[in-house]
Amino acid sequence: MLTLYFHPLSSFCHKVLIALYENGTPFTPKLVNLQDEAERAAFHALWPVGKFPVLQDSARDQMVPESSIIIEYLDQHYPGATKFIPDDAEQARAVRSADRFYDLHIHLHMQKVVGDRLRPPNAKDPHGVQDARTRMKVALGIVEQDMAGRTWAAGGTFTMADCAAAPALFYADKVTALSGEYPNLVAYLDRLKQRAPYARTLQEAEPYFKFFPRDDAA
Ligand SMILES: N[C@@H](CCC(=O)N[C@@H](CS)C(=O)NCC(=O)O)C(=O)O
């Protein structure tokens, strides 16, 4: 019924995989290799924006792009023990707010840094990368303080905000070491890694980590 178009190295796909594994939601994984011309064309035919994750639900005849919207969709139509968006409107807003914060102010800046490493030498954007690093540091400082008294991103229970935080912090740690400056985030990332759905996501990504570009000069 559910098919997830994804790649095991993709951080935004990790966000959705965590949600799917969290509730043991059955789905068919469809790995998309964007380097392969035919696979790329087929994926773009499905979703011209060309970004994964994309969830296809044949039972409801729905095609759902965007990681946060996919998680909301799962919560709505395939609910499980973990509720990703609380019923209470105030709490729901706090979860969406944290989800947006991790995506927009950490995840996207991290993506800019990593994406620049994949550019050809004559097409680098050092100014953009510096700006992304500066903004990411400000955002990391904010969540470092937020996490001082919290177990999970939006409080005491695991929500969509934690699905967003896990890949954002995991890869942010790869491009700017969190240890030393962000002890609360280091401890939080550790809790996330120990949670079975994220541990499984990382384990499945392991064979692909060798393709992750490791430094800015790459
Ligand atoms: N806002 C989107 C972002 C998705 C995104 O950036 N996906 C990346 C992988 S992490 C992608 O598809 N990159 C391929 C490309 O840009 O060609 C979401 O939350 O799902």
Side-chain angles (χ1 to χ4, degrees):
M1 268 190 322
L2 295 179
T3 303
L4 182 74
Y5 293 82
F6 85 116
H7 190 279
L9 208 49
S10 150
S11 45
F12 278 105
C13 294
H14 287 189
K15 180 174 159 184
V16 165
L17 285 169
I18 294 167
L20 285 162
Y21 293 152
E22 184 73 26
N23 279 336
T25 310
F27 71 102
T28 304
K30 175 88 182 73
L31 193 154
V32 182
N33 176 7
L34 290 173
Q35 312 301 322
D36 181 292
E37 205 55 49
E39 281 191 40
R40 188 184 179 86
F43 182 58
H44 279 242
L46 177 75
W47 179 229
V49 166
K51 302 244 181 208
F52 35 56
V54 170
L55 185 78
Q56 202 161 34
D57 183 353
S58 58
R60 302 190 70 259
D61 194 21
Q62 292 282 320
M63 201 268 294
V64 190
E66 287 296 323
S67 56
S68 301
I69 307 303
I70 295 173
I71 294 174
E72 293 228 18
Y73 184 87
L74 292 172
D75 226 16
Q76 195 179 353
H77 297 292
Y78 297 89
T82 296
K83 184 126 186 58
F84 298 108
I85 324 274
D87 287 329
D88 177 85
E90 283 300 305
Q91 286 173 20
R93 187 169 50 74
V95 166
R96 291 193 178 97
S97 170
D99 172 76
R100 292 301 72 226
F101 191 90
Y102 275 102
D103 272 18
L104 299 176
H105 302 299
I106 297 178
H107 202 145
L108 287 186
H109 296 319
M110 171 281 291
Q111 213 179 38
K112 169 70 184 170
V113 175
V114 175
D116 200 76
R117 293 174 179 179
L118 297 167
R119 287 185 175 197
N122 62 348
K124 300 280 186 197
D125 176 19
H127 180 81
V129 168
Q130 191 47 53
D131 181 63
R133 283 188 174 279
T134 304
R135 289 175 190 273
M136 184 169 62
K137 261 179 107 59
V138 170
L140 287 170
I142 291 172
V143 281
E144 168 66 17
Q145 286 193 1
D146 287 349
M147 290 312 293
R150 286 186 201 167
T151 303
W152 302 113
T157 50
F158 189 94
T159 66
M160 172 169 74
D162 299 292
C163 301
L169 292 178
F170 178 85
Y171 283 107
D173 188 38
K174 299 263 177 261
V175 302
T176 178
L178 296 179
S179 64
E181 223 174 319
Y182 309 103
N184 295 327
L185 293 182
V186 169
Y188 172 44
L189 181 56
D190 227 50
R191 279 196 293 286
L192 289 164
K193 285 184 192 165
Q194 279 169 32
R195 197 162 172 111
Y198 191 39
R200 177 176 172 185
T201 303
L202 289 176
Q203 196 187 355
E204 290 173 355
E206 187 59 45
Y208 298 86
F209 281 138
K210 60 175 179 278
F211 300 116
F212 180 80
R214 290 204 183 269
D215 71 88
D216 284 1

